[in-house]
Amino acid sequence: MPPCDVRHFLGPCLLLLLHERADHGYDLLERLRPFHGWDVEAPTVYRSLRSLERQGLVHSHWVPSDCGPARRRYEITPTGCSALAVAARDLRSLRETLDRFLFRQSRAWQSASRPSPARLR
């Protein structure tokens, strides 16, 4: 079985960050790193932002800069706010499912006649 795929979690994370405040792509990348728990590459973030914009969940516009080139600023749309609420609901449901799984797995290891991986160390 392949490892759990967390790529689809990036969109909701970006929507949440944009719900907190509109921002530039690079700044979103910096805010995302400690929040997300693993290193996300810049091209992945920008592809996700473009996808969110194509879906109407995010809007962007160019903002002139006094000290360099103009930068694209991203904002969440009302549709994006609704999508964020749905994602949060779905993630809560997923968390409950994962909690049930982990609880049962823990009980299964405790009651099994064979030692758990933790006991083998």
Side-chain angles (χ1 to χ4, degrees), residues 11-25:
C13 290
L14 288 168
L15 290 176
L16 176 59
L17 291 174
L18 290 170
H19 186 266
E20 291 173 350
R21 74 170 190 263
D23 219 336
H24 303 285

Side-chain angles (χ1 to χ4, degrees), residues 2-85:
C4 292
D5 184 357
V6 295
R7 290 176 294 172
H8 299 289
F9 187 54
L10 180 57
C13 290
L14 288 168
L15 290 176
L16 176 59
L17 291 174
L18 290 170
H19 186 266
E20 291 173 350
R21 74 170 190 263
D23 219 336
H24 303 285
Y26 179 79
D27 296 329
L28 284 166
L29 181 62
E30 291 302 309
R31 290 172 55 207
L32 183 65
R33 282 189 174 126
F35 172 75
H36 217 245
W38 64 93
D39 220 13
V40 180
E41 295 182 9
T44 302
V45 170
Y46 284 106
R47 273 193 304 274
S48 186
L49 286 166
R50 283 193 301 276
S51 175
L52 293 171
E53 191 163 22
R54 281 192 303 274
Q55 295 172 57
L57 307 177
V58 167
H59 169 75
S60 70
H61 58 278
W62 289 99
V63 177
S65 173
D66 294 335
C67 57
R71 295 173 38 179
R72 189 176 290 268
R73 182 175 178 87
Y74 296 89
E75 299 173 5
I76 193 168
T77 65
T79 304
C81 289
S82 297
L84 176 58

Side-chain angles (χ1 to χ4, degrees), residues 9 12 15-16 80-98 100:
F9 187 54
L15 290 176
L16 176 59
C81 289
S82 297
L84 176 58
V86 169
R89 184 198 66 214
D90 291 348
L91 287 168
R92 280 186 201 93
S93 177
L94 176 60
R95 181 182 63 194
E96 291 169 5
T97 300
L98 291 172
R100 283 191 300 272

